[in-house]
Amino acid sequence: MVISYDKLWKMLIDRKMKKTDLMRTAKISSNALAHLSKDESVSIEVIGKICLALECTPNDIIEFSNNATKESISK
């Protein structure tokens, strides 16, 4: 399964936020932010903190795909 946080990055752009702003607002670690930036798995606790900070749901920031490549998600 492939995870994509492209929706999260778009949301940050729309809100004129930087990744470091997200880290401070959501109170997540730089390690968690690094995992997000690499489209790697993070704990549900991290997702929860982001959703609370951005007042959104996980569906607003995460996209899953059964396909083997990330490119298939963006199509």
Side-chain angles (χ1 to χ4, degrees):
M1 181 179 346
V2 178
I3 301 170
S4 173
Y5 300 103
D6 290 344
K7 292 164 90 175
L8 171 61
W9 309 134
K10 181 171 179 350
M11 183 181 289
L12 291 183
I13 290 167
D14 292 344
R15 295 179 183 207
K16 295 179 174 41
M17 289 180 73
K18 297 179 181 178
K19 289 180 179 181
T20 53
D21 297 331
L22 174 66
M23 189 174 75
R24 279 188 237 108
T25 303
K27 297 181 178 145
I28 60 173
S29 68
S30 57
N31 188 41
L33 185 62
H35 283 281
L36 290 165
S37 296
K38 297 176 191 174
D39 284 337
E40 296 176 349
S41 297
V42 294
S43 71
I44 195 68
E45 181 181 357
V46 169
I47 299 300
K49 287 179 177 182
I50 292 170
C51 289
L52 284 174
L54 298 178
E55 297 178 351
C56 65
T57 67
N59 278 343
D60 296 328
I61 61 172
I62 305 170
E63 202 165 32
F64 294 99
S65 173
N66 288 328
N67 298 330
T69 62
K70 182 180 174 187
E71 290 79 34
S72 62
I73 292 175
S74 60
K75 291 184 180 176

